[in-house]
Amino acid sequence: MRIRFTKMQGAGNDFVVLDETAGLLSLSAAHYRWLADRHFGVGADQILSVRAAPTPDVDFEYVIHNADGGEVGHCGNGARAFVRYVREHGLTDKRTVRVRIQRGVIELTEQPDGGITVDMGAPQFDLPEVPFHPGDMQPLPYGAWQLWPLELPETYQPNQALALDGQAHAAMVHTAVLSMGNPHAVTLVDDVDVAPVLTQGPLIERHAAFPQRVNAGFMQIVDRSHVRLRVYERGAGETLACGTGACAAVVAGIRLGALDAQVEVQTRGGILHIGWAGGIADHVHMTGPAETVFEGSVELPDHL
């Protein structure tokens, strides 16, 4: 089967976008993994499916699959690419669209200057809803909120020798836990450039307290309105930017008393602007870029 696609990116977080408004392609997890493969497929962090509105109160449905083929609840950078896509392809002439995602409805607006603002909804702090199951773990008070101590096994590269005593020595990281439509664990670091993203990131992602795995964010606070951020995304690894990760990091920083209500987030792929008034029910708003890279078609392998 040959399918058409559009390659897009938002702050370096890149996507393969599929138009399924006229009918579902009925792709499998193996198809999504192949499309995301940077060596044998097209290459992307996530695959975004644009689908017809399932109910009259929305304009479209938006479905996201990570590079590992698994479906996820939200992707903020992808949401900006989504609205750029539907406008560029003549699927709507609205500047603001309402879109159904896995866990609700989001509103996306293309600004006059070309930037795109996404109403990301309210953050979720209810631990079972994240989901996060701390068991006997006890949180540590920090500012007006708390950090959770996650015990990680020793981090080492596959070709690196184990400790002389043969034991797996534990490391402890303290994380803020919340959901922005998908789960996030945010760790404060002094210098994001040397943070252990590639070693601790996958261990946090698969920590037993997160039954659906988790996105691991590493945030350096520059001042009360500027942060630097790297995110190890579940099912994708480290990406150049993570929209929900940026929102989660800013919300965590505000609740911990370290950030103001409007924050510029410097990711490795570009700048995102995040705003949150600080109330539990207040919505988070994210503004940033989204661009089309190229369009094409590809024959899906028969063996998948």
Side-chain angles (χ1 to χ4, degrees):
M1 178 172 66
R2 178 168 288 273
I3 62 171
R4 292 198 59 80
F5 67 88
T6 299
K7 181 69 181 287
M8 303 189 74
Q9 63 89 13
N13 196 184
D14 63 336
F15 314 102
V16 167
V17 185
L18 306 175
D19 185 349
E20 295 187 276
T21 55
L24 300 185
L25 295 172
S26 299
L27 302 183
S28 67
H31 288 127
Y32 292 119
R33 286 195 296 270
W34 185 87
L35 286 168
D37 193 297
R38 299 186 186 278
H39 301 287
F40 296 100
V42 180
D45 294 322
Q46 282 89 20
I47 313 300
L48 313 181
S49 298
V50 182
R51 298 180 180 177
T55 55
D57 60 324
V58 297
D59 299 296
F60 298 97
E61 184 178 19
Y62 165 40
V63 178
I64 311 115
H65 287 84
N66 270 343
D68 66 354
E71 185 177 347
V72 293
H74 205 347
C75 175
N77 289 326
R80 298 198 314 277
F82 185 101
V83 71
R84 179 79 75 214
Y85 179 92
V86 296
R87 283 180 52 78
E88 286 185 349
H89 286 76
L91 297 176
T92 186
D93 58 1
K94 297 180 179 179
R95 282 198 172 272
T96 296
V97 296
R98 287 172 52 82
V99 177
R100 173 74 60 184
I101 59 173
Q102 190 181 77
R103 289 194 171 189
V105 175
I106 58 174
E107 193 169 273
L108 323 171
T109 301
E110 182 176 331
Q111 304 294 346
D113 64 359
I116 296 171
T117 298
V118 182
D119 180 343
M120 300 288 288
Q124 175 61 258
F125 302 110
D126 184 25
L127 298 181
E129 293 297 319
V130 170
F132 176 62
H133 300 157
D136 295 332
M137 198 184 310
Q138 294 299 314
L140 304 175
Y142 191 111
W145 200 25
Q146 60 194 12
L147 297 175
W148 290 92
L150 300 182
E151 187 172 293
L152 306 179
E154 181 185 25
T155 60
Y156 63 94
Q157 299 302 320
N159 61 349
Q160 183 180 0
L162 286 169
L164 292 177
D165 60 8
Q167 299 300 310
H169 298 289
M172 187 73 73
V173 296
H174 297 88
T175 66
V177 174
L178 69 154
S179 174
M180 284 301 312
N182 48 26
H184 288 270
V186 181
T187 303
L188 300 179
V189 297
D190 293 330
D191 184 349
V192 76
D193 290 328
V194 297
V197 177
L198 299 182
T199 53
Q200 289 187 356
L203 299 176
I204 296 172
E205 176 200 7
R206 296 180 178 276
H207 193 282
F210 298 99
Q212 296 179 10
R213 296 183 290 165
V214 71
N215 300 286
F218 298 79
M219 175 172 63
Q220 172 189 344
I221 296 177
V222 179
D223 58 41
R224 294 192 63 85
S225 60
H226 297 84
V227 303
R228 301 176 67 214
L229 180 70
R230 292 170 64 186
V231 179
Y232 192 96
E233 294 195 50
R234 61 174 181 171
E238 185 181 8
T239 57
L240 292 180
C242 175
T244 58
C247 294
V250 169
V251 168
I254 293 172
R255 287 212 70 185
L256 294 170
L259 296 175
D260 293 333
Q262 299 291 329
V263 179
E264 180 179 283
V265 179
Q266 176 68 62
T267 72
R268 290 195 156 185
I271 293 174
L272 302 173
H273 295 274
I274 311 298
W276 184 54
I280 300 300
D282 289 332
H283 286 206
V284 182
H285 292 86
M286 173 184 61
T287 301
E291 298 177 354
T292 296
V293 182
F294 63 88
E295 298 188 345
S297 65
V298 65
E299 188 76 27
L300 296 176
D302 292 335
H303 65 275
L304 297 179

